[in-house]
Amino acid sequence: MGHRVWPGKPYPLGATWDGSGVNFAIFSEHAERVELCLFDGADAQSEAERITLPEQTDMVWHGYLPDALPGQVYGYRISGPYQPAEGHRFNPNKVLLDPYCKAVARPTRWADENWGYVLRDGQKDLSFDGRDNAAFAPLGAVLDEAFTWGDDRPPQIPWHQIVIYELHVKGFTMLNPDVPEKLRGTYAGLGSDASLKYLKSLGITAVELLPIHHHVDDRNLIDKKLTNYWGYNTLSFFAPQVGYASVRQAGEAVREFKTMVRNLHAAGIEVILDVVYNHTAEGNQLGPTLSFRGVDNASYYRLSPDDKRYYMDFTGCGNTFNMREPRVLQMIMDSLRYWITHMRVDGFRFDLASTLARELHEVDKLGAFFDIIHQDPIISQVKLIAEPWDLGAGGYQVGNFPALWSEWNGKYRDCIRKFWKGDGGVVSEFATRFCGSSDLYEWSDRRPHASVNFITAHDGFTLHDLVSYDHKHNEANREDNRDGANDNASWNCGAEGPTDDPKINALRERKKRSFLATLFLSQGAPMLLAGDELGRTQHGNNNAYCQDNEISWIDWRLAEENKSLLEFTRRLIAFYNAQPVFHRRRFFHGKAIQGSEAPDIAWIGPDGKEMSDESWAGWVRCLGVQLYGDHVDIDAHGESINGDTVLILFNADHASAIPFCLPSPNGDPAPWRLEFDTNCEQTNDAIYLQPGETYELAPCSTVVFVAPSDSKQLALELTKRSPPSV
């Protein structure tokens, strides 16, 4: 006996269980008929029942099934014109995934039947495939949203205190022996006690997860025995990737994700999702028909105005979402709100965010996408991070996003790499990037935290590879090493890849520590790539998007091998977290602040004197910066925040050790305490030097001194001690 069918409601979109039955609603402006297909299970070869949705309201087709229950597996068949030249690609022979599906019961099973046209036909996508794909199509499941959140609260880490850690859910724990074996590579593994203990010991306050929306592994990758490991190939913007669940069932994946978020929140760690709303997994006109293309191709995608058979492609992935269509904008906003209100995430990093602002061809920072987010009382209150570029003309938009937005600062990455590579002529920009990139963000009334600073990210070399390879080595991707960026601003320190040369290895370790020190002592929001603190290598692969294996997974044996680097990183982050001068909410101005005798910052030359305008010219590779700790900011109660004065010395010369004369901390004879020297093994002994003394900076090293707030008293009590041995 078939299901009873009632008219239902056009909102909310998707399959919604209300405790008595399920409302099904799907948008399609150009459809002529919509059929709901009910399957007996994820492995069913065809639907058990096909129901024509009885109502259409404002281009939303809907119906209510009072006898349906959570767990019901479903898809859609949608009829309409198949006219590719006009932008329409309806094919009722293809079962489609609901664009609002919240749980995926069955991922795509690759077969020729998943294409709306006949593969290898001479007419290509102008041909029509009449075969049924029900046995291979991705399917959704009705979800029961019930979950016990208990006393879960968002950590709400202030932007100026955040430490972001970019990681892959699977790769982070896949090889971790401290995580129970059945939980490795899963949401539960990331939320496990072992993972939380490690993240807290490192000082992390936010994890930025590579895409966890349900994605598709491209057929061409599967044929090469590879996968779309990074996941920038989304098919469902509401459902978590079921492959990252320890129990591979649709509803269980949702519950496991929620539990992970709850556990991270309890540890004081925020969850930021890397989201891909710029394109989908369906590719260009020669791609499969899995969801949006068959639901309403002309509405969901940007089509070429000259020939609607083809797609506008600003992403390099074959298609671009149509941000001019109100229903597409609605879907993206509904997705964002869903992940905030139901899954309780704390923010988003938007992949190729410039694409989202392309209402016509040019990037428009006043586009509808930004307008809607800015006025939304839910989305506007979480952390919003843009990857501020795409592949279209004018797509590089670093510094041009509006208020509320922080940005991956690609200019910071490039400049810091060039400085430590030893390139000349970058010292002035280095100082600007170190101070929060006011040239990019202050004009729009944004703060230093608008700059998300990073040296490395998932896309490119790891930190270890950055100092070990001059060239990419992507042969494992099976594209003849053509993929991936050719210009990485890297230097191998004298040998390509692994070497037994102790001098080269020592230089590499020193450069890694100097990179990390620069990252965490800069103004802005630091982002650390997971595993960089362990010396993780991808063996020179700078585009490991398809490597779901040991190339990409973190090798936790490195924690013992590189114990000194890990301990250095922990001490560095603890130092960053403890010192108010690194958490300024406003940009430096280089002048005295009201109530303070000293300026907020001074740049120092090796002679111990403040740098003149002339001293910034040429190939300067050695300089210092003094960050004054008096009246750094005010707290929530209006009280002055005071801290230590910090002196940071940089020597990016690869060959020469440079003596540096120490200035006075605050115009008085108080001593400096040595905190870090990236050329030295750390010691627990307190080392103090007097102003006017000289400290030798090793090649490619960073040295940090502190003048404690009680330094005047220390000056009376301490005798001079010798610097540590190298």
Side-chain angles (χ1 to χ4, degrees):
M1 182 176 177
H3 281 77
R4 293 180 293 164
V5 183
W6 298 349
K9 299 177 180 179
Y11 187 85
L13 291 164
T16 306
W17 162 251
D18 63 7
S20 300
V22 180
N23 190 78
F24 292 89
I26 184 170
F27 159 76
S28 182
E29 178 179 354
H30 301 100
E32 297 170 354
R33 184 174 74 252
V34 174
E35 297 171 291
L36 173 66
C37 302
L38 302 180
F39 290 74
D40 288 339
D43 293 325
Q45 297 297 295
S46 63
E47 61 265 44
E49 186 175 357
R50 191 184 302 187
I51 300 168
T52 300
L53 292 185
E55 298 286 333
Q56 186 210 51
T57 305
D58 299 330
M59 296 177 286
V60 175
W61 303 73
H62 53 92
Y64 183 87
L65 275 58
D67 304 314
L69 297 169
Q72 173 65 62
V73 178
Y74 75 102
Y76 286 102
R77 296 181 187 270
I78 300 185
S79 300
Y82 188 83
Q83 299 169 343
E86 300 301 321
H88 301 305
R89 296 177 179 268
F90 294 101
N91 189 333
N93 301 296
K94 310 304 173 183
V95 174
L96 307 169
L97 186 69
D98 180 3
Y100 274 71
C101 162
K102 296 182 176 66
V104 173
R106 184 176 77 193
T108 302
R109 296 172 174 173
W110 285 120
D112 290 357
E113 287 83 347
N114 283 328
W115 272 256
Y117 65 95
V118 180
L119 290 175
R120 292 171 290 279
D121 186 286
Q123 288 188 304
K124 297 182 178 180
D125 59 304
L126 296 180
S127 64
F128 182 83
D129 190 291
R131 293 174 296 176
D132 193 283
N133 78 330
F136 313 106
L139 301 175
V142 176
L143 180 66
D144 183 352
E145 295 278 4
F147 182 78
T148 303
W149 284 100
D151 59 355
D152 175 76
R153 295 290 184 275
Q156 294 185 326
I157 306 297
W159 257 117
H160 63 286
Q161 295 176 358
I162 199 168
V163 177
I164 302 173
Y165 191 69
E166 191 198 23
L167 64 84
H168 189 286
V169 167
K170 183 175 183 179
F172 183 66
T173 63
M174 195 65 190
L175 299 177
N176 191 340
D178 295 330
V179 173
E181 186 172 1
K182 67 179 181 180
L183 302 184
R184 294 174 193 169
T186 69
Y187 303 120
L190 178 55
S192 68
D193 290 342
S195 294
L196 298 178
K197 181 179 179 182
Y198 179 80
L199 293 170
K200 291 180 68 176
S201 73
L202 199 54
I204 301 303
T205 63
V207 290
E208 184 175 305
L209 308 182
L210 266 69
I212 55 81
H213 288 170
H214 177 75
H215 71 268
V216 173
D217 292 323
D218 315 63
R219 191 180 192 182
N220 68 306
L221 291 177
I222 296 295
D223 291 343
K224 296 178 183 179
K225 301 188 185 306
L226 300 171
T227 67
N228 197 308
Y229 173 70
W230 286 351
Y232 292 91
N233 205 37
T234 307
L235 187 62
S236 176
F237 296 95
F238 293 83
Q241 181 72 7
V242 71
Y244 299 156
S246 59
V247 178
R248 302 290 177 88
Q249 297 176 4
E252 291 303 317
V254 175
R255 283 185 280 275
E256 190 171 314
F257 181 90
K258 291 179 177 179
T259 301
M260 176 199 74
V261 172
R262 186 182 63 191
N263 292 350
L264 285 163
H265 283 179
I269 299 171
E270 293 185 323
V271 179
I272 298 172
L273 301 185
D274 194 334
V275 291
V276 191
Y277 292 111
N278 51 73
H279 74 280
T280 78
E282 291 183 304
N284 63 16
Q285 74 277 3
L286 300 179
T289 297
L290 304 174
S291 180
F292 306 94
R293 175 171 284 133
V295 172
D296 195 338
N297 184 69
S299 292
Y300 276 108
Y301 292 119
R302 289 284 301 274
L303 305 179
S304 170
D306 299 323
D307 188 343
K308 293 182 179 180
R309 175 186 176 185
Y310 301 103
Y311 296 80
M312 302 290 288
D313 182 10
F314 299 109
T315 66
C317 300
N319 63 59
T320 301
F321 254 151
N322 184 10
M323 303 302 293
R324 297 176 295 180
E325 167 57 54
R327 288 291 188 176
V328 176
L329 279 170
Q330 177 190 351
M331 185 198 72
I332 294 174
M333 299 306 152
D334 286 346
S335 171
L336 292 170
R337 291 189 205 98
Y338 175 78
W339 286 96
I340 297 168
T341 59
H342 288 74
M343 309 295 257
R344 299 202 178 184
V345 303
D346 305 284
F348 305 95
R349 178 264 191 190
F350 293 80
D351 177 67
L352 300 180
S354 294
T355 302
L356 303 175
R358 289 185 182 272
E359 290 199 347
L360 295 175
H361 295 281
E362 297 181 354
V363 177
D364 180 5
K365 71 184 181 68
L366 299 178
F369 175 76
F370 296 115
D371 292 343
I372 294 173
I373 282 184
H374 283 202
Q375 60 80 38
D376 189 281
I378 295 174
I379 305 173
S380 64
Q381 299 307 301
V382 301
K383 291 181 170 67
L384 303 172
I385 303 171
E387 182 186 34
W389 50 78
D390 66 16
L391 300 186
Y396 194 79
Q397 293 290 320
V398 173
N400 290 333
F401 277 67
L404 290 184
W405 288 79
S406 293
E407 303 175 19
W408 270 27
N409 191 344
K411 292 187 176 181
Y412 176 94
R413 172 202 58 204
D414 297 343
C415 177
I416 303 305
R417 287 186 178 192
K418 290 176 182 177
F419 178 79
W420 285 114
K421 182 171 173 277
D423 291 355
V426 299
V427 68
S428 181
E429 185 185 0
F430 173 85
T432 301
R433 301 291 160 248
F434 180 85
C435 290
S437 297
S438 60
D439 61 324
L440 299 177
Y441 305 113
E442 192 171 26
W443 69 271
S444 57
D445 291 328
R446 286 187 284 173
R447 304 290 179 86
H449 68 248
S451 176
V452 175
N453 299 330
F454 65 105
I455 306 296
T456 58
H458 68 275
D459 187 2
F461 281 147
T462 65
L463 180 61
H464 179 83
D465 290 355
L466 186 66
V467 300
S468 303
Y469 294 91
D470 281 353
H471 309 287
K472 65 184 182 182
H473 295 270
N474 298 353
E475 289 80 7
N477 297 354
R478 302 185 181 181
E479 297 180 40
D480 298 324
N481 205 35
R482 295 188 304 269
D483 62 304
N486 292 315
D487 182 8
N488 298 280
S490 63
W491 181 50
N492 64 20
C493 298
E496 188 75 354
T499 179
D500 294 328
D501 189 314
K503 290 185 178 180
I504 292 177
N505 286 329
L507 177 58
R508 288 174 176 177
E509 292 304 308
R510 191 158 65 244
K511 285 174 69 71
K512 285 191 283 188
R513 289 192 291 265
S514 291
F515 270 121
L516 290 169
T518 306
L519 173 65
F520 282 101
L521 304 184
S522 297
Q523 300 296 310
M527 184 183 78
L528 178 67
L529 174 63
D532 275 354
E533 74 280 8
L534 302 173
R536 185 176 78 88
T537 178
Q538 292 178 170
H539 312 292
N541 193 321
N542 73 350
N543 189 35
Y545 76 100
C546 56
Q547 300 296 333
D548 187 4
N549 50 47
E550 289 83 356
I551 291 176
S552 299
W553 302 340
I554 293 179
D555 182 356
W556 289 93
R557 295 173 299 182
L558 295 171
E560 184 62 31
E561 293 179 23
N562 295 315
K563 184 181 294 184
S564 62
L565 180 62
L566 175 58
E567 183 56 30
F568 173 83
T569 308
R570 283 175 171 153
R571 290 188 62 234
L572 179 64
I573 296 176
F575 180 69
Y576 163 82
N577 285 331
Q579 293 293 341
V581 293
F582 303 123
H583 304 284
R584 298 178 58 89
R585 293 183 298 118
R586 293 173 174 81
F587 289 104
F588 291 114
H589 292 287
K591 57 185 179 181
I593 301 172
Q594 185 175 5
S596 174
E597 298 177 357
D600 50 10
I601 186 173
W603 288 93
I604 311 296
D607 59 1
K609 298 178 181 179
E610 190 164 353
M611 294 175 67
S612 64
D613 291 344
E614 293 76 17
S615 60
W616 290 96
W619 288 56
V620 178
R621 293 194 181 97
C622 182
L623 74 167
V625 61
Q626 190 164 325
L627 308 178
Y628 293 89
D630 290 341
H631 303 286
V632 172
D633 211 328
I634 57 173
D635 63 19
H637 302 287
E639 298 295 327
S640 178
I641 297 175
N642 297 283
D644 299 335
T645 293
V646 178
L647 175 67
I648 309 167
L649 310 179
F650 306 100
N651 180 15
D653 193 287
H654 289 145
S656 302
I658 298 177
F660 207 106
C661 181
L662 303 184
S664 297
N666 294 297
D668 56 54
W672 290 104
R673 183 184 72 230
L674 179 65
E675 195 72 29
F676 294 100
D677 184 341
T678 60
N679 184 50
C680 302
E681 289 294 329
Q682 297 302 321
T683 174
N684 292 325
D685 297 331
I687 306 298
Y688 290 88
L689 279 79
Q690 298 292 338
E693 289 192 85
T694 296
Y695 189 91
E696 186 172 273
L697 305 182
C700 290
S701 70
T702 302
V703 177
V704 179
F705 288 94
V706 169
S709 54
D710 58 351
S711 58
K712 292 184 179 180
Q713 180 63 30
L714 284 172
L716 300 175
E717 300 175 359
L718 295 173
T719 57
K720 184 175 70 174
R721 308 185 188 188
S722 300
S725 58
V726 176

